[in-house]
Amino acid sequence: MLPGSIQISGETLSGAEIRDICESLRENSVRLLSLRGCQLSERDFGHVCRGVAESRSLAQLNLNLGIVSNINRVKQLAEALKTNRSVQSLFLHGSPLTDAGLALLNPALSIHPSLVALDLGDCMLGDEGINLICGLLPPDGAKSGLKELTLSANPGVTSKGWGRLAIAVAHSSQLRVLNLDYNPLGDQVAGMLAVAVASSRTLEVLDLEGTGLTNQSAQTLLDMVENYPTALRTLILAENNISPELQQQISDLLSEGEEEEETEAREVTAREKNSWICQNNPSSQMVLMTSGLGDSLLAETEM
């Protein structure tokens, strides 16, 4: 039987329900476990963590909205992740981790062999927490790292911390999605992020919704998109003091870049197909070279 999912939201879980969850984890029949906003005892949380440690099928673990509510639970989760090898996505949005809690969790996150998506939104983080997160964005393929990172609503981080993150993003060889919505970033931090985006070879999605930006930031981002090659395809600027005209200009340029990339991909596919035809059919090779058909073909790819 293929692994399934257990998704429970906002309920008080009984001991019997916890036993069923843990048995499913141990039997490797769960790929997604979401206990978003649920209430469970300290003892039962420990049981769940031991089940996570033993599971070889669990790919996504959602403990959003206060499940990891104290340092003891952070420690138990960290121990589980040190043993677990399968979790790819970990969601802790709305957990009061603070920098101290993240420091306890970080060693397990750093060595986990499969983790690629991490949500630490609204986790009461500061600059020290950001420094730890930067270690999960290794440069130049030095080791595996995060592809998706959410740090929404962590107002305790200062411009110094965001600057440190911008440097890590610029040099990350894997990060594709970065969500920084509802942080008081302002124009200065947005300028640093624009440099990071221009430097990154992988970042495709950047969410800056509700981050205190103005037309000054938008103009910087517009210049970046217009004048520098970038992997960026989606830039979210809603709920900022930015004119609709500037937002539309940025959106149009990003759309053009995506269309050009799709066209290039189609051309590469066509060239590869033509090359294969030529190698396997000499008469086709002569037709393609003398009739110009090759050119015409290339013209035608939770919280």
Side-chain angles (χ1 to χ4, degrees), residues 3-18:
S5 65
I6 298 174
Q7 300 184 64
I8 309 172
S9 182
E11 295 186 15
T12 298
L13 300 178
S14 66
E17 289 172 316
I18 294 297

Side-chain angles (χ1 to χ4, degrees), residues 159-160 162-163 185-194 212-214 216-217:
S159 59
K160 180 180 179 181
W162 294 126
L185 303 181
D187 291 332
Q188 179 183 5
V189 172
M192 291 187 283
L193 289 170
L213 308 188
T214 70
Q216 177 183 331
S217 299

Side-chain angles (χ1 to χ4, degrees), residues 22 52 76 95 104 124 142 160 163 168 200 214-215 227 254 265 274 287:
C22 293
V52 169
Q76 292 183 83
S95 302
L104 293 173
M124 303 173 64
K160 180 180 179 181
S200 172
T214 70
N215 283 345
N227 295 305
L254 291 175
N274 291 343
V287 171

Side-chain angles (χ1 to χ4, degrees), residues 125-291:
L125 301 180
D127 289 356
E128 290 304 315
I130 294 298
N131 286 339
L132 295 173
I133 291 166
C134 289
L136 303 176
L137 303 173
D140 301 327
K143 59 178 181 178
S144 61
L146 296 178
K147 294 182 180 179
E148 300 184 17
L149 174 61
T150 296
L151 294 171
S152 316
N154 280 294
V157 180
T158 70
S159 59
K160 180 180 179 181
W162 294 126
R164 176 71 180 85
L165 180 70
I167 294 171
V169 169
H171 291 282
S172 171
S173 58
Q174 297 194 45
L175 189 66
R176 298 184 181 279
V177 178
L178 178 61
N179 298 311
L180 300 179
D181 47 313
Y182 298 105
N183 286 297
L185 303 181
D187 291 332
Q188 179 183 5
V189 172
M192 291 187 283
L193 289 170
V195 174
V197 172
S199 301
S200 172
R201 291 169 291 178
T202 59
L203 191 67
E204 298 176 355
V205 178
L206 177 60
D207 187 350
L208 298 177
E209 180 175 0
T211 51
L213 308 188
T214 70
N215 283 345
Q216 177 183 331
S217 299
Q219 189 62 58
T220 300
L221 292 164
L222 177 62
D223 291 343
M224 179 269 296
V225 173
E226 191 171 22
N227 295 305
Y228 297 92
T230 172
L232 194 67
R233 294 293 170 262
T234 302
L235 177 59
I236 302 172
L237 296 173
E239 296 192 34
N240 286 296
N241 189 23
I242 297 174
S243 70
E245 292 78 15
L246 274 174
Q247 293 196 47
Q248 189 61 52
Q249 284 181 272
I250 294 171
S251 178
D252 290 344
L253 283 170
L254 291 175
S255 297
E256 287 176 11
E258 188 170 5
E259 290 171 1
E260 290 174 1
E261 186 177 81
E262 290 175 355
T263 299
E264 183 178 346
R266 286 196 297 268
E267 290 176 350
V268 169
T269 301
R271 283 197 297 269
E272 291 174 347
K273 180 179 180 180
N274 291 343
S275 175
W276 184 87
I277 292 172
C278 293
Q279 291 170 5
N280 289 275
N281 189 336
S283 62
S284 295
Q285 180 182 26
M286 185 171 295
V287 171
L288 287 169
M289 291 180 67
T290 58
S291 69

